[in-house]
Amino acid sequence: MSPEEYLDTVDEKRRADMLALDAMIRETAPGLERVVQRGILGYGPFRYRYATGREGEATLIGLAAQKRHLSLYVLCAIDGRYLAETYADRLPGASIGKSCVRFTSLAKVDREVLRELVATAAAHGPQDAAGPDRART
């Protein structure tokens, strides 16, 4: 499935926000390749390997329309802290997990703060996003 086909399948209720977020991410981080991976629109695909030898694929940034909210996944950590968590105070209209920012609509969050989050992630990459036992390959 192409990114365009993925966006076409998004429920009408969330499509405008998804299109706006997609445009913002592509404008803010034009060097990140856009892909669909595991049912999520992703930006900046990379491979990783755990110390155990297990390997996988992920994207630096992911975007998904869930039934009740939009999810912006940011697989980036700086100095051992997940980047998304460091933005919790600046995104009071969102629910923040380690690497996920969830919100019911784009109107509930500050777009410029999201833009800054994306730009910072793009500048740093996934480096130590899952801790010291996982290395980017």
Side-chain angles (χ1 to χ4, degrees), residues 24-34 122:
M24 182 271 293
I25 293 167
R26 292 185 338 177
E27 178 184 305
T28 303
L32 298 180
E33 179 187 357
R34 190 168 68 140

Side-chain angles (χ1 to χ4, degrees), residues 99-133:
S99 60
C100 183
V101 178
R102 288 176 296 278
F103 44 95
T104 55
S105 77
L106 197 48
K108 303 247 183 199
V109 293
D110 186 328
R111 290 180 191 218
E112 290 310 308
V113 174
L114 289 180
R115 182 182 300 279
E116 181 184 318
L117 173 58
V118 167
T120 302
H124 287 276
Q127 297 169 15
D128 64 345
D133 66 332

Side-chain angles (χ1 to χ4, degrees), residues 73-97:
Y73 300 97
V74 183
L75 195 55
C76 178
I78 300 172
D79 296 328
R81 287 194 67 199
Y82 283 93
L83 187 60
E85 288 181 312
T86 68
Y87 280 76
D89 292 344
R90 297 179 58 201
L91 293 166
S95 170
I96 312 285

Side-chain angles (χ1 to χ4, degrees), residues 49-77:
R49 181 179 316 131
Y50 285 101
T52 62
R54 181 175 160 249
E55 296 184 34
E57 295 179 355
T59 56
L60 176 63
I61 296 168
L63 184 58
Q66 310 294 345
K67 191 172 193 171
R68 296 190 174 132
H69 58 269
L70 297 166
S71 296
L72 177 68
Y73 300 97
V74 183
L75 195 55
C76 178

Side-chain angles (χ1 to χ4, degrees), residues 3-66:
E4 289 76 18
E5 290 169 328
Y6 175 86
L7 289 167
D8 285 344
T9 67
V10 172
D11 185 272
E12 193 66 37
K13 178 180 174 185
R14 304 226 183 272
R15 188 171 302 143
D17 283 351
M18 285 289 287
L19 290 170
L21 285 163
D22 174 60
M24 182 271 293
I25 293 167
R26 292 185 338 177
E27 178 184 305
T28 303
L32 298 180
E33 179 187 357
R34 190 168 68 140
V35 297
V36 176
Q37 199 177 78
R38 292 188 213 134
I40 295 174
L41 183 56
Y43 308 81
F46 66 95
R47 290 194 54 77
Y48 62 85
R49 181 179 316 131
Y50 285 101
T52 62
R54 181 175 160 249
E55 296 184 34
E57 295 179 355
T59 56
L60 176 63
I61 296 168
L63 184 58
Q66 310 294 345

